[in-house]
Amino acid sequence: MPKIPLQIPPVGLPELIPSELPHQKFHLGEWVRWFQVPNGDFGRVIGVLYTQQASCIATGLHYLVLLDERSPSCKICTCDFAFEEDIEPLDNSSLEGLQGNHV
């Protein structure tokens, strides 16, 4: 399998950054998965940005997730941004189950 270079999805800066930023729910290094879609991707949080997402104009915290090599979309992208409402944390047993389903 060819190695895909690390590419960060596009973001846009918000016009106004609030004086107090929201508290983040997920932390660097934490395993998460997209739960709102069938066969959702999963990986580790490698960045947190307060930004305006370029494709749907949603301002707030966005989590940059490095996809696991066994995640469904890993063959076409290495990482993706996630909204807090679209992901959930993974414990070790859930992670093992997901990785087993996508090998």
Side-chain angles (χ1 to χ4, degrees):
M1 177 173 92
K3 184 113 175 127
I4 298 172
L6 183 65
Q7 296 177 342
I8 298 175
V11 295
L13 295 176
E15 290 183 25
L16 180 64
I17 297 175
S19 59
E20 194 170 316
L21 296 174
H23 292 282
Q24 66 187 65
K25 181 177 178 180
F26 303 101
H27 301 284
L28 295 178
E30 187 171 356
W31 284 94
V32 295
R33 77 174 187 105
W34 278 260
F35 68 92
Q36 304 251 15
V37 294
N39 294 320
D41 284 305
F42 60 99
R44 294 179 79 179
V45 175
I46 60 169
V48 182
L49 302 171
Y50 184 85
T51 185
Q52 186 173 54
Q53 208 274 346
S55 64
C56 61
I57 314 300
T59 300
L61 290 180
H62 295 75
Y63 296 88
L64 182 59
V65 179
L66 178 64
L67 299 181
D68 185 87
E69 64 185 13
R70 291 166 278 196
S71 189
S73 298
C74 190
K75 289 182 174 71
I76 59 171
C77 66
T78 53
C79 55
D80 197 1
F81 280 110
F83 298 109
E84 198 167 83
E85 301 80 24
D86 295 335
I87 56 176
E88 65 182 5
L90 282 174
D91 58 28
N92 284 337
S93 61
S94 298
L95 179 61
E96 289 170 8
L98 281 172
Q99 289 177 334
N101 288 338
H102 298 295
V103 173

